[in-house]
Amino acid sequence: MVSRVIPVDPFDLVIFGGTGDLARRKILPGLYRRYWAGQVPDGVRIIGAARTEQDSDAWRVFVRAAIIEFVAEAKHDPDVIDAFLKQLHYIPVDARGDGGWKDLAGMMREGVTQAFYFSVGPGLFGDLAERLHRFKVACEDCRIVVEKPFGRDLASAKTLNATLAQHFDEQQIYRIDHYLGKETVQNLMAVRFANVLFEPLWNAQYVDHVQITVAEEVGVGGRGGYYDKSGAMRDMVQNHLMQLLCLTAMEPPSRFEPDAVRDEKLKVIRALEPLPPEDIVRGQYSAGDEPSYLEDVEDPDSRTESFIAMKLHVANWRWNRTPFYLRTGKRLNARNSEIVVHFKQPPHSIFDADAGSKANVLSIRLQPDEGMDLRVTIKEPGPGGMRLVDVPLDMSFAEALGPEAADVPDAYERLIMDVIRGNQTLFMRGDEVEAAWAWTDPIIDAWTERGDRPLPYAPGSAGPEDALILLHKDGRRWREITP
Ligand code: NAD
């Protein structure tokens, strides 16, 4: 299979926060990989802008080290790295001061796509937007890329949207949720809307329930200070899990275009029923010999959840009474993210009860290895009569499409290229983010009012016992979290 890499036109990309962790681990290695693939042409300029006083050569040393650390060794060709680094420049800029801005304005070229990546803390988004405007750095149709978290509740998200709207149109704002840049997440849309096999079954009549899991093995580690003010609901559910739910549950958009797709996602969020407290389980890792959550954060009495499981209903015709079970947590037994669609049993079985019939299951894996797997029931081979067994129809990209398909772009590099191409389909619109907070806020407020404490769970487990009971009550079971 020959991969199709379509080069983009020359562009100027400014990375505010170009010396930060995200730039080092994701943005810069991702840009290098696109350069290696031939997608980033000569004539592109990547400009680091951050508070550190240093020159371009010093930043290039930083970027080279990032490439060596985070890009596969097969792509460490010194000549290619040197050529890439020649396209990099650095300007010290203070988001809250006036220094550096005129120099930055002087560097920007007219007539090429201009993009500004806000890879700094969210408290600086407004300052950057205002100064880009005041110092006439950006052209009229420039694009800005905004990192998460986008607000911490509805009020702050609205304020942030309003601040950005003072200087930019919605068509210029790219709110990143890197889950949307994952190959399999886009494949979910292809599987649903480019085949006739699945869509007729994709409803309450044939789907028993859906499970969405984002499980992490790591704890909050060095991010304890940030995480403790946020928790699993704000950090994972309001954005990533909500987006996965939307793509799974949405109606077919009329076209694969930004607003058509985002209109349908928004309808899903707006159709979510309010959650009764008994349908949510909050947890905090705490038992066992290993460090507990409370040792990883500063507040010894923190009530922030590091785990959440919930049962949601999308109140519309398609999903009438079909539960969507969502769970996410830190320090679980494995790193695994997947969307699993459990279909119903056939309405009537013609086989003996002990033949062993199983319902069909379609799983869409995001992590650790991306791929899809459909389990179908067949006859067990051999002379033992009609015994049924479920086998996988595995759609691992690497095996099906050849080795090049295994080299799929990382979510960040794909999304950055979408920014340059001006395609907002995989970015969140302002009203989507607000709708997600409008649904999340009352739940968080109720915990705070009641002073709820999360339930303890052992590090390395699948979360609190009550999360298992949430499904047992409905006669169902979570899929095992496997590495
Ligand atoms: P970081 O603390 O490592 O880096 C922050 C960057 O901002 C540095 O380059 C710093 O020089 C710059 N900066 C700080 N104050 C500045 C100022 N006044 N003027 C100009 N530059 C200033 O942070 P990070 O981890 O790279 O995160 C950046 C953004 O990305 C945050 O919004 C974060 O929430 C988000 N994010 C990060 C990750 C991650 O894995 N690191 C993941 C998802 C989202």
Side-chain angles (χ1 to χ4, degrees):
M1 205 211 62
V2 180
S3 77
R4 282 196 307 134
V5 173
I6 302 166
V8 294
D9 291 332
F11 58 86
D12 282 353
L13 169 66
V14 177
I15 307 170
F16 291 113
T19 59
D21 178 64
L22 185 66
R24 189 174 75 86
R25 286 191 306 110
K26 294 288 181 185
I27 304 172
L28 292 160
L31 283 163
Y32 174 73
R33 278 191 291 263
R34 290 296 89 208
Y35 181 78
W36 175 277
Q39 203 166 17
V40 172
D42 291 332
V44 159
R45 284 202 312 202
I46 298 165
I47 302 162
R51 242 184 341 189
T52 314
E53 291 286 342
Q54 62 177 2
D55 60 13
S56 295
D57 279 340
W59 192 51
R60 289 185 190 120
V61 171
F62 166 87
V63 179
R64 184 190 296 275
I67 292 169
I68 300 296
E69 188 172 354
F70 295 105
V71 175
E73 206 174 336
K75 294 178 182 163
H76 288 186
D77 182 330
D79 293 340
V80 182
I81 297 180
D82 285 345
F84 174 72
L85 293 178
K86 275 202 186 109
Q87 299 183 229
L88 268 57
H89 309 269
Y90 181 87
I91 296 194
V93 164
D94 186 350
R96 294 226 160 105
D98 292 346
W101 286 94
K102 284 195 181 132
D103 297 336
L104 184 58
M107 276 211 75
M108 303 307 295
R109 293 175 296 177
E110 284 182 15
V112 298
T113 300
Q114 294 183 357
F116 299 88
Y117 199 129
F118 291 11
S119 181
V120 295
L124 297 177
F125 293 168
D127 297 295
L128 291 178
E130 189 269 322
R131 280 170 176 75
L132 280 177
H133 189 77
R134 177 149 56 92
F135 288 95
K136 298 191 173 48
V137 179
C139 64
E140 282 282 290
D141 58 355
C142 76
R143 294 156 202 169
I144 62 164
V145 185
V146 185
E147 261 301 331
K148 84 169 208 184
F150 200 89
R152 55 172 285 107
D153 53 20
L154 178 58
S156 55
K158 276 188 167 171
T159 306
L160 191 46
N161 273 334
T163 306
L164 297 179
Q166 285 174 13
H167 307 290
F168 304 100
D169 294 337
E170 183 63 34
Q171 288 70 25
Q172 296 177 271
I173 305 172
Y174 290 72
R175 294 176 194 78
I176 282 228
D177 184 326
H178 69 275
Y179 274 61
L180 294 181
K182 290 190 180 286
E183 185 73 19
T184 24
V185 171
Q186 294 166 68
N187 235 318
L188 169 61
M189 286 189 273
V191 163
R192 281 193 63 189
F193 305 131
N195 296 285
V196 292
L197 284 183
F198 295 103
E199 200 48 27
L201 308 180
W202 208 262
N203 54 49
Q205 197 182 343
Y206 294 104
V207 174
D208 179 72
H209 72 284
V210 177
Q211 297 185 14
I212 301 179
T213 296
V214 176
E216 294 177 279
E217 238 179 321
V218 293
V220 296
R223 287 174 72 230
Y226 158 77
Y227 190 89
D228 200 39
K229 293 193 190 71
S230 148
M233 187 70 158
R234 286 193 170 99
D235 191 48
M236 297 299 292
V237 177
Q238 184 273 343
N239 39 50
H240 307 315
L241 275 88
M242 195 62 76
Q243 289 295 323
L244 299 182
L245 168 73
C246 285
L247 293 175
T248 311
M250 72 182 185
E251 295 298 317
S254 59
R255 291 191 61 75
F256 188 60
E257 281 179 354
D259 281 336
V261 171
R262 297 186 300 178
D263 286 346
E264 295 307 334
K265 288 198 295 168
L266 180 61
K267 284 186 213 163
V268 174
I269 303 175
R270 291 195 172 145
L272 285 177
E273 287 181 355
L275 262 190
E278 63 271 20
D279 286 350
I280 314 177
V281 177
R282 294 170 79 219
Q284 201 181 63
Y285 56 91
S286 63
D289 302 334
E290 297 166 60
S292 71
Y293 179 84
L294 294 178
E295 290 166 64
D296 284 345
V297 300
E298 278 169 24
D299 177 4
D301 191 40
S302 170
R303 295 179 184 199
T304 304
E305 76 284 352
S306 61
F307 174 96
I308 195 159
M310 49 177 61
K311 170 175 151 183
L312 306 188
H313 280 107
V314 181
N316 61 18
W317 278 41
R318 181 188 285 264
W319 296 117
N320 180 39
R321 290 152 62 138
T322 309
F324 285 77
Y325 299 100
L326 272 52
R327 73 178 156 169
T328 180
K330 296 202 174 283
R331 292 296 283 117
L332 297 179
N333 57 314
R335 173 169 171 263
N336 172 305
S337 300
E338 59 180 11
I339 302 167
V340 186
V341 181
H342 291 257
F343 291 93
K344 290 187 174 170
Q345 290 277 3
H348 163 74
S349 176
I350 62 168
F351 304 108
D352 291 343
D354 63 359
S357 147
K358 289 220 171 84
N360 299 121
V361 174
L362 173 67
S363 64
I364 298 132
R365 285 190 309 271
L366 282 70
Q367 273 169 176
D369 51 334
E370 297 198 47
M372 295 201 190
D373 176 284
L374 176 66
R375 295 199 81 91
V376 293
T377 302
I378 60 162
K379 178 190 168 297
E380 196 174 66
M386 182 55 86
R387 289 208 50 80
L388 302 175
V389 59
D390 69 315
V391 293
L393 284 181
D394 198 324
M395 293 171 264
S396 288
F397 304 135
E399 278 175 34
L401 303 175
E404 285 199 39
D407 194 19
V408 291
D410 168 68
Y412 275 94
E413 58 192 273
R414 175 189 305 273
L415 292 173
I416 294 170
M417 287 299 118
D418 278 358
V419 174
I420 301 302
R421 282 187 291 252
N423 186 343
Q424 286 185 304
T425 309
L426 300 174
F427 296 83
M428 296 180 295
R429 210 167 53 190
D431 53 0
E432 259 185 90
V433 177
E434 290 184 15
W437 281 122
W439 182 80
T440 317
D441 270 5
I443 301 170
I444 297 176
D445 291 349
W447 297 336
T448 315
E449 265 166 43
R450 291 195 304 258
D452 277 3
R453 270 184 194 284
L455 301 167
Y457 63 93
S461 71
E465 189 80 15
D466 283 38
L468 308 181
I469 296 172
L470 182 70
L471 267 72
H472 283 179
K473 282 191 295 194
D474 296 343
R476 301 186 174 105
R477 274 194 306 144
W478 287 109
R479 255 184 46 133
E480 212 176 309
I481 303 174
T482 48

